[in-house]
Amino acid sequence: QVQLVESGGGSVQSGGSLRLSCAASGYSSYSMGWFRQAPGKDREGVATISSDGKTTYTDSVKGRFTITRDNAKNTLYLQMDSLKPEDTAMYYCAAHSPVAWWDLNYMSWNYWGQGTQVTVSS
């Protein structure tokens, strides 16, 4: 069983930065990911990372967001730079089994945190 707790959300102006963290238990062998959901929209995959550090990103955040993990600290990160108003959403940390670590479809993921809100103003 994996337990996930996100932190680091907040409000920033367009062009600003935030760093999200996800403290996890029992996760070192799992694939990890960040997802987001804006009001009235489906949950979408933002970035994923394999247990050995391979990454993938949705096109809209490539070059702006960076996903990393520290297995020694059982922590997942999402560094978000050059934030835009359209990045405003609730951000969720997720985990699932090591297979298909690149899958950005939220329906494939088993374990979820409670979410942290990110608001970007213009």
Side-chain angles (χ1 to χ4, degrees):
Q1 186 74 14
V2 178
Q3 294 182 324
L4 307 169
V5 179
E6 303 96 334
S7 61
S11 297
V12 295
Q13 291 190 326
S14 182
S17 297
L18 283 173
R19 188 192 197 201
L20 305 183
S21 299
C22 173
S25 62
Y27 97 131
S28 62
S29 63
Y30 281 75
S31 303
M32 301 293 295
W34 288 99
F35 294 75
R36 65 187 179 187
Q37 189 166 17
K41 294 188 177 181
D42 286 339
R43 191 167 297 190
E44 66 167 341
V46 175
T48 67
I49 187 167
S50 68
S51 58
D52 61 351
K54 296 186 288 292
T55 60
T56 191
Y57 299 89
T58 193
D59 287 346
S60 63
V61 307
K62 286 180 180 177
R64 300 189 298 121
F65 291 10
T66 304
I67 186 171
T68 57
R69 64 191 294 167
D70 185 333
N71 289 344
K73 295 182 178 180
N74 287 349
T75 304
L76 176 73
Y77 303 99
L78 185 68
Q79 178 67 41
M80 304 186 294
D81 298 319
S82 302
L83 282 161
K84 303 176 181 180
E86 51 264 43
D87 295 318
T88 295
M90 185 72 78
Y91 282 70
Y92 297 90
C93 172
H96 79 154
S97 64
V99 297
W101 60 267
W102 57 86
D103 191 349
L104 289 169
N105 183 345
Y106 76 93
M107 296 181 70
S108 301
W109 293 71
N110 305 111
Y111 304 104
W112 293 91
Q114 82 288 351
T116 186
Q117 178 68 37
V118 172
T119 303
V120 185
S121 58
S122 58

